[in-house]
Amino acid sequence: MGSEEEEKMEWGLADIVGEIFSIRESNIAASIAVAVILISGGSNLYGWTQTEYAQAKEAATDDQWLIEFNISVSTMVKEETWQDEEKKVIEFYMDEFVFPDGYYIGAVKVIVKPDADSNGTTLDPIAQCDSIGANIRNDGELAAQWDFEDNVLSGQDSSCEWIILSLQTYPGYEGDDVNSSAANEFQALLPWSESGWGEGVLAVEVELDVNTVEELGPVTQDDDEDITIEVEVSGFIASAMLIN
Amino acid sequence: MKKEYYYNNSDNVADELYESLNELLPVASVVHIALGVMALVLVHRSSEREWNERFAGLLISWMMVILGVQYVFSTLIDYRIEQLGTDTVSVFFTYESIFYSWMTYGQSALESAFYASIAILPLIYPYPLIQKKNVVKICTIFVLSVALILVPIDIFTEFSFRGVKYMLIWSGYIVWTPVYLRFLFGELLYEEEGARAVSSVTALLMLGAYGQSYIFWLQNLTGVSTVYFGRWVVEDFVAQSFLSSSVSMVQLALTGGTFLVLFLGESWRAMSRGFSTLNAVVSLVFVIGVLWYLLTLVNYGDAESCVLTACQAWDENFVDWYVFTFQVARFLGVPLIFMFILLNYNMVDTAAEGSKMITRIMVLLLLLVATSSLIEMIQIILPIPEMITSALFAAGVVVFIGWEERIMDQIITETSSAAESVKDLVGVADIRIQDGEYRFFSMAMVAMVCYALLIAVLFHSMGIHS
């Protein structure tokens, strides 16, 4: 370490490394450090390569799952009388529809049934069918898929037929089994376990326009109508079956 | 391809978490570039310094610039994710649209350039392993060659070999640790005069280069950190390859092991020579590492949720802790430490004509940015009104202006030269490096940055991954 070395123009790697490891005590400390690093690194590497990487890779790889829905339907019926040109909103509280535990509300079906006798009776054989218009109102009270394109939110009839309306409440639910791509059963079922959908108040607006033959109507004055509103709520619980 | 993962949290929580996640990025990019450029000017004026001091100063300055440009790309990505991520549950849903873009390519290319550069720092400073008269040429060719290969390969492989790329910084673990021990023992057992300058600058270099990893030292050493790697395999748009993640397991041990060496070494020195600022910094990192270990255990369920069930979002306070420790260490700690090394270890000639003013600007910039950023960070945790934080910042400015002269004097006068100490203690080859070689190195670094940027833009425009 004298002046001779200082004057050397170039040093070899062996000399340089030799200087770094020239103190015995520091070499012992360095050896202990290397041992700690080897033990820790070996342990990390073993755990990772033997189990953890495979587990993570498996979790990151999608499998195909068949999502099956077990469906339960709950129904509620309300019957009321409408006067001519009367418009009424009938409300159905969704929490009054009863489902087993763990079921989610998938869809709502509304059937508006006019009075069965309105198309002529023995007393008034020439009575005509009344015009009925029905809407499911979106007034923000019901959590549902209002923009779903297959919804039928309004209907009209003047031939005494039932008006059938439908509203999807749970995103993606159409009642049929679906295929899903997910890493495990939990993830496959996760999209079908969101609570909150279908909660609130369903408002059905019905308007009546009585059709009557005034000149010939002999006995009864047809200026009102009994209308039945039946609401069927489909609840579901999903299960996943591995396809491959 | 990236698939969609379900996160059991609300949109708003995820957005809030993300907003605070990279708050320091824009500041960090400006600070790194500004400090790097100013340091370059200072280094080029410091012709009287030892060759390895000057070369290391040059290298550190360029590393700062490259990091700054890299953070510019990170800022752009961050901004883009924020724009895209407003109506989604998780940021990972939106990442696909920018993963194969010039922004990610640019960030990764600059990162490769940074690793190519930092790989040679331990070989030249503080104890030069290459003592040849053509050392600058050798290092220049090495950096250019590595960058030339690494930049495109990293993009071709969809960044799935990051762990392998990070092996370049292992040179620091391998070289600096024995150098630190050699001079620490030399000082404490053999009373070698000037050895402390070498051991302290080596410790600081390790803290600067690996500080952001050292805060995880205990969980890295015990292997608890592997739970995050499992999560990243699931979460990442393109997961790290088996080789890459396996190599990272060794790096975890290197991080934990070498920090333990620093901590025990500094503790031993504190017991024998008294407490020092470096000892305080290392102790702080030690405590943060222990806390990180405990907090990882607390959040272990969230961490492994991706592998076992479905990814659970991190707890908001855990994210704040991450921002406060990792982001501060990375974006503020790194420039602070490297600039301190440049100024305090005599690598630049602060007394040279015009240099004093630049040094003064550097010091004030560092201190003010650090103060304002820390105040911002505190605001993440404590909802302090802006009026109060502005007042705090103003108070900080006043204190720094008042103390500026004292800080400057301390930096300029109370310096120690690690290179001189090495020369005196163990001797180094008497090498003369021409100014032209340093300029050649700088030109090579400019070329490397341009190459990285060009690759990023061209690969994107040619749609190599489409």
Side-chain angles (χ1 to χ4, degrees), chain B residues 101-403:
Chain B
S101 72
W102 58 271
M103 293 175 286
T104 315
Y105 294 166
Q107 184 209 20
S108 175
L110 266 299
E111 190 187 59
S112 299
F114 173 76
Y115 280 102
S117 312
I118 199 172
I120 60 167
L121 186 58
L123 307 180
I124 55 169
Y125 191 80
Y127 182 56
L129 287 190
I130 310 170
Q131 296 185 26
K132 306 274 181 198
K133 59 184 175 188
N134 53 0
V135 55
V136 177
K137 290 194 191 85
I138 294 171
C139 290
T140 308
I141 291 166
F142 174 84
V143 173
L144 281 181
S145 309
V146 171
L148 204 69
I149 298 165
L150 205 58
V151 169
I153 285 184
D154 193 31
I155 299 174
F156 282 140
T157 55
E158 300 171 80
F159 325 114
S160 59
F161 285 89
R162 283 210 169 104
V164 179
K165 183 167 85 172
Y166 294 164
M167 283 177 80
L168 283 165
I169 57 166
W170 288 17
S171 60
Y173 295 121
I174 295 163
V175 175
W176 280 331
T177 310
V179 168
Y180 170 76
L181 287 172
R182 157 70 184 79
F183 288 95
L184 182 79
F185 277 80
E187 180 204 7
L188 296 180
L189 293 184
Y190 298 97
E191 305 291 336
E192 287 180 347
E193 206 175 322
R196 180 56 185 164
V198 187
S199 64
S200 64
V201 78
T202 311
L204 280 169
L205 282 167
M206 292 175 82
L207 285 172
Y210 314 121
Q212 69 230 42
S213 310
Y214 278 162
I215 59 171
F216 308 113
W217 72 271
L218 186 54
Q219 61 186 41
N220 287 357
L221 202 63
T222 53
V224 173
S225 290
T226 56
V227 72
Y228 295 108
F229 284 79
R231 184 176 173 119
W232 295 332
V233 167
V234 180
E235 269 186 343
D236 283 357
F237 185 70
V238 175
Q240 291 299 296
S241 64
F242 178 72
L243 175 67
S244 172
S245 51
S246 301
V247 164
S248 299
M249 295 302 122
V250 181
Q251 188 167 330
L252 292 182
L254 279 168
T255 309
T258 55
F259 178 75
L260 211 52
V261 169
L262 282 188
F263 176 71
L264 294 175
E266 286 308 304
S267 301
W268 179 34
R269 190 181 181 278
M271 282 186 280
S272 111
R273 299 291 160 97
F275 207 70
S276 66
T277 312
L278 179 58
N279 192 249
V281 174
V282 173
S283 301
L284 180 68
V285 176
F286 178 87
V287 172
I288 292 172
V290 174
L291 288 173
W292 255 108
Y293 174 78
L294 296 173
L295 291 174
T296 296
L297 293 185
V298 169
N299 289 279
Y300 204 84
D302 288 344
E304 66 176 354
S305 60
C306 281
V307 173
L308 298 184
T309 53
C311 296
Q312 301 283 336
W314 298 112
D315 179 82
E316 203 174 338
N317 295 318
F318 184 63
V319 174
D320 287 341
W321 166 252
Y322 161 79
V323 172
F324 220 89
T325 52
F326 181 76
Q327 304 284 306
V328 169
R330 186 180 182 192
F331 297 133
L332 293 180
V334 170
L336 269 171
I337 290 173
F338 277 121
M339 286 307 116
F340 182 76
I341 292 169
L342 277 182
L343 298 173
N344 198 60
Y345 287 88
N346 218 17
M347 293 167 88
V348 291
D349 186 2
T350 45
E353 196 184 341
S355 296
K356 199 168 180 180
M357 193 185 70
I358 295 175
T359 313
R360 187 163 280 169
I361 294 170
M362 277 172 70
V363 170
L364 279 175
L365 181 72
L366 257 178
L367 295 175
L368 294 180
V369 167
T371 312
S372 62
S373 302
L374 281 175
I375 289 171
E376 280 290 313
M377 293 283 97
I378 291 167
Q379 235 173 357
I380 293 174
I381 300 173
L382 305 170
I384 305 169
E386 273 185 32
M387 283 289 282
I388 296 175
T389 52
S390 301
L392 281 174
F393 179 66
V397 171
V398 169
V399 169
F400 285 134
I401 289 173
W403 278 38

Side-chain angles (χ1 to χ4, degrees), chain B residues 9-73:
Chain B
N9 64 345
S10 72
D11 297 8
N12 291 337
V13 171
D15 289 343
E16 275 174 29
L17 290 180
Y18 191 76
E19 275 170 24
S20 64
L21 204 61
N22 294 309
E23 204 155 46
L24 284 177
L25 258 175
V27 178
S29 54
V30 174
V31 168
H32 278 78
I33 293 173
L35 289 177
V37 169
M38 284 190 276
L40 271 177
V41 174
L42 289 180
V43 170
H44 276 288
R45 288 177 179 174
S46 308
S47 53
E48 300 303 313
R49 294 289 174 266
E50 286 293 326
W51 71 268
N52 66 326
E53 276 179 332
R54 202 174 165 195
F55 190 27
L58 196 60
L59 194 59
I60 289 171
S61 309
W62 274 110
M63 277 161 43
M64 290 295 106
V65 173
I66 292 169
L67 272 184
V69 182
Q70 183 194 327
Y71 294 156
V72 170
F73 283 102

Side-chain angles (χ1 to χ4, degrees), chain A residues 1-2 5-13 15-17 19-26 29-31 33 36-38 40-45 48-49 52-53 55-62 181-184 186-187 190-191, chain B residues 3 5-6 8 127-129 131-133 178-179 181-182 185-186 189-190 192 220-223 226 229-230 233-234 239-242 245-246 249-250 252-254 257-258 261 306-310 423 425-431:
Chain A
M1 288 182 259
E5 286 171 342
E6 280 178 26
E7 284 166 11
K8 280 169 74 173
M9 284 302 289
E10 291 189 357
W11 278 36
L13 191 62
D15 300 331
I16 297 163
V17 174
E19 280 298 342
I20 294 176
F21 295 102
S22 59
I23 296 181
R24 187 174 155 273
E25 291 86 349
S26 86
S31 305
V36 169
I37 289 167
L38 283 177
S40 167
S43 161
N44 289 350
L45 197 60
W48 180 253
T49 53
E52 292 172 52
Y53 181 77
Q55 274 180 354
K57 206 68 192 165
E58 170 62 26
T61 310
D62 277 351
S181 183
N184 52 40
F186 184 91
Q187 287 195 13
L190 211 49
Chain B
K3 57 185 186 180
Y5 295 98
Y6 298 101
N8 295 342
Y127 182 56
L129 287 190
Q131 296 185 26
K132 306 274 181 198
K133 59 184 175 188
V179 168
L181 287 172
R182 157 70 184 79
F185 277 80
L189 293 184
Y190 298 97
E192 287 180 347
N220 287 357
L221 202 63
T222 53
T226 56
F229 284 79
V233 167
V234 180
Q240 291 299 296
S241 64
F242 178 72
S245 51
S246 301
M249 295 302 122
V250 181
L252 292 182
L254 279 168
T258 55
V261 169
C306 281
V307 173
L308 298 184
T309 53
K423 201 173 176 181
L425 288 170
V426 294
V428 289
D430 189 18
I431 296 169

